[in-house]
Amino acid sequence: MNYCEALDYLGSIRYLGSKLGLDRLYPILSDLGNPHKAYPVVHIAGTKGKGSTSRMTSEILQASGYKVGLFTSPHLQNIRERAQVNDLIISTGEFSDLIEEIRILNVKHEKEFGTATFFEVITLLSFTHFLRQKVDCAVFEVGLGGRLDATNIVEKPACTVITSISHDHMRILGDTLGLIAKEKAGILKHGVPLVTAKQRKQAIDGIIEVATPLGIPINRESFDFNFTDRGPTDGGQLMDYSDEDGDITDIFVPMMGVHQLQNASLAIRACRILSRNGFDKVTPEAIKAGLSKVFWPGRMESIKDGRLIILDGAHNGRSADALARAINRHIKTPKRTIVVGMLKDKDTRRFIRALSTVSCKVIVTSVDSPRSMHPEKLAKKFKQRCFDCEVVKNPVDALIKAIDSTPDDGCVIVTGSLYLVASLRTALGRFNWNGI
């Protein structure tokens, strides 16, 4: 099977959609050598920030001298981004060979157990790739929820992390924060330490309800560890961190927004827990070195190409709030133009309200997805909030229009969907993944 055939196969099983549950995976895992039992895993769930926290955890462990697998989703520009070892994405040859191997096993077991889905196949591929690359440990970001997510095949993680929880995927996970939190806490395993962000009461109560019978040590932000915002600086921001193992000061995080400092504190705490359990090369110096290298495309990504362009995949109210706070904290020019496109299943009301503090000039465009919200419909919603708004249906034309109409000392912000960010990042010629 060549790379194009591998992609065709994945396309052929995408119609299966998302089928939460793990039973289909175990017979295939057994035939693959049970890679989910082969190395320590940091398992990270949450609503917002789990991808950034996963990346930060990986960078700290790499800076400590470990070989680290990293699984994240969704991908931005290339499906192979989802499986990385020390920031190197899986090669086309390895990807194709593993897809063929898993395809054969999928056919072998589908009559008895059903067909593994697209996400399940990529998860199986990543666990197996990391085994064959002989990683020292791996970081796995949950895809959806936690309890029934395919990544939850890991049986005894070294540490679990739950980032900030808010309302999302309510038709699947539940319509209250408590129910959502319990689904995400489904990744917890007996006696395995948990690191959690500061949560709203309903969410933390749901987490504690799941954790207590399992005898889990809960490490809570503001109780067991904390960070201090030292303010923005050139290329990012500074923070201090403290817990019972000691303080770490002058930590540089090359990402925008206070929420990224929270994510960094979760990654630090998780790595310090690992340092007590065999990963003794994790030191304050390695933590600082790792975080100073963090790069996460499409998440408050800054591109200076004539004028400043910010790419951020915010797509709901909570993430738009974080985007607005980050822009107003780090980008001082008031000359800002927003290029936005959204999917039609997203809640636009709070999203638009958050952006009212960022700019009054908006160019609405389409998203390269069959679920794209019609630009005219989205523009009408912006105009109802008194935005200066126009429609340019082609995303590249919309970006060109924004650049041409924004002064040289201004800023263009692309947001609303990772699909839109990905297509315009490609149009800007940005391919910053090793191995592409």
Side-chain angles (χ1 to χ4, degrees):
M1 178 180 281
N2 61 35
Y3 185 56
C4 290
E5 290 169 337
L7 295 179
D8 284 345
Y9 170 69
L10 289 172
S12 74
I13 60 174
R14 272 203 120 130
Y15 75 92
L16 296 171
S18 174
K19 294 183 178 180
L20 296 178
L22 305 177
D23 290 347
R24 290 180 297 278
L25 305 183
Y26 291 116
I28 299 176
L29 283 166
S30 178
D31 287 347
L32 290 169
N34 290 316
H36 59 306
K37 302 179 181 180
Y39 41 79
V41 168
V42 179
H43 201 188
I44 301 180
T47 304
K48 300 304 299 179
K50 62 185 190 291
S52 297
T53 304
S54 298
R55 169 66 63 180
M56 291 170 175
T57 304
S58 172
E59 293 297 341
I60 291 172
L61 292 170
Q62 287 180 62
S64 302
Y66 297 106
K67 189 173 185 179
V68 186
L70 175 64
F71 173 83
T72 59
S73 64
H75 60 274
L76 194 62
Q77 292 163 281
N78 188 314
I79 192 171
R80 295 184 289 122
E81 297 165 19
R82 297 185 185 218
Q84 303 183 30
V85 174
N86 282 9
D87 296 341
L88 184 69
I89 69 173
I90 185 171
S91 71
T92 55
E94 291 168 309
F95 181 91
S96 305
D97 290 345
L98 273 170
I99 290 295
E100 171 66 356
E101 189 174 347
I102 294 167
R103 183 194 68 79
I104 292 169
L105 295 175
N106 211 358
V107 171
K108 173 184 173 182
H109 295 291
E110 67 180 348
K111 188 172 182 179
E112 183 175 0
F113 296 98
T115 303
T117 66
F118 171 90
F119 184 79
E120 291 167 347
V121 168
I122 297 299
T123 303
L124 291 165
L125 174 146
S126 299
F127 271 105
T128 308
H129 177 58
F130 299 158
L131 168 64
R132 294 176 184 179
Q133 288 292 310
K134 297 180 171 62
V135 300
D136 297 309
C137 56
V139 181
F140 273 80
E141 176 193 0
V142 169
L144 175 64
R147 181 174 63 94
L148 297 175
D149 187 76
T151 62
N152 206 26
I153 54 177
V154 60
E155 294 183 1
K156 189 74 172 179
C159 181
T160 56
V161 180
I162 299 180
T163 64
S164 178
I165 293 175
S166 58
H167 292 96
D168 202 18
H169 300 292
M170 290 184 288
R171 284 179 294 179
I172 299 171
L173 304 180
D175 58 1
T176 69
L177 278 182
L179 290 173
I180 293 168
K182 288 178 188 179
E183 284 294 321
K184 294 182 184 297
I187 68 168
L188 305 186
K189 302 297 188 295
H190 193 276
V192 174
L194 164 67
V195 177
T196 179
K198 184 186 294 185
Q199 308 284 1
R200 285 180 275 184
K201 186 179 186 306
Q202 268 192 310
I204 194 63
D205 286 349
I207 291 169
I208 292 172
E209 184 178 332
V210 175
T212 300
L214 296 173
I216 288 171
I218 304 177
N219 298 260
R220 294 173 62 180
E221 180 195 345
S222 297
F223 289 83
D224 303 289
F225 64 97
N226 214 335
F227 71 91
T228 302
D229 174 16
R230 293 270 307 281
T233 187
D234 186 33
Q237 48 195 332
L238 287 173
M239 65 178 280
D240 297 335
Y241 172 90
S242 61
D243 64 19
E244 74 272 20
D245 291 338
D247 297 346
I248 309 175
T249 59
D250 300 321
I251 303 169
F252 174 65
V253 179
M255 301 177 78
M256 289 188 270
V258 176
H259 61 290
Q260 295 294 3
L261 302 184
Q262 180 187 56
N263 295 334
S265 74
L266 299 175
I268 295 170
R269 183 65 173 183
C271 289
R272 281 196 146 177
I273 288 171
L274 293 182
S275 73
R276 305 170 193 163
N277 296 283
F279 288 81
D280 52 8
K281 292 188 288 185
V282 176
T283 63
E285 293 73 25
I287 288 169
K288 292 173 71 170
L291 288 174
S292 73
K293 298 175 183 176
V294 174
F295 173 61
W296 198 220
R299 285 79 170 180
M300 283 303 298
E301 180 182 2
S302 174
I303 297 173
K304 186 68 176 174
D305 189 7
R307 63 202 35 73
L308 181 63
I309 300 172
I310 302 293
L311 304 177
D312 189 79
H315 59 274
N316 59 25
R318 189 78 176 245
S319 56
D321 285 337
L323 169 64
R325 288 193 296 268
I327 291 292
N328 291 326
R329 170 182 166 92
H330 293 272
I331 310 298
K332 297 307 179 185
T333 177
K335 304 167 185 175
R336 305 166 181 165
T337 304
I338 298 172
V339 177
V340 63
M342 299 185 74
L343 300 182
K344 56 189 172 186
D345 60 344
K346 299 303 177 183
D347 178 9
T348 59
R349 184 178 56 82
R350 188 176 166 196
F351 181 90
I352 293 171
R353 185 177 66 200
L355 294 187
S356 64
T357 67
V358 174
S359 173
C360 64
K361 183 174 177 57
V362 174
I363 298 175
V364 178
T365 190
S366 59
V367 176
D368 185 16
S369 166
R371 295 189 291 132
S372 176
M373 183 178 294
H374 196 283
E376 297 286 356
K377 181 178 179 180
L378 182 57
K380 182 179 179 180
K381 294 174 182 288
F382 272 99
K383 289 174 181 176
Q384 288 170 348
R385 296 284 303 189
C386 300
F387 281 84
D388 175 8
C389 181
E390 65 178 297
V391 172
V392 179
K393 291 183 179 179
N394 181 280
V396 174
D397 290 341
L399 179 61
I400 292 170
K401 174 79 172 179
I403 292 171
D404 289 345
S405 62
T406 303
D408 290 346
D409 59 346
C411 175
V412 174
I413 303 153
V414 178
T415 191
S417 167
L418 274 174
Y419 291 100
L420 178 64
V421 167
S423 66
L424 293 183
R425 194 172 193 271
T426 301
L428 289 165
R430 299 286 164 155
F431 302 96
N432 296 99
W433 294 106
N434 293 327
I436 290 184

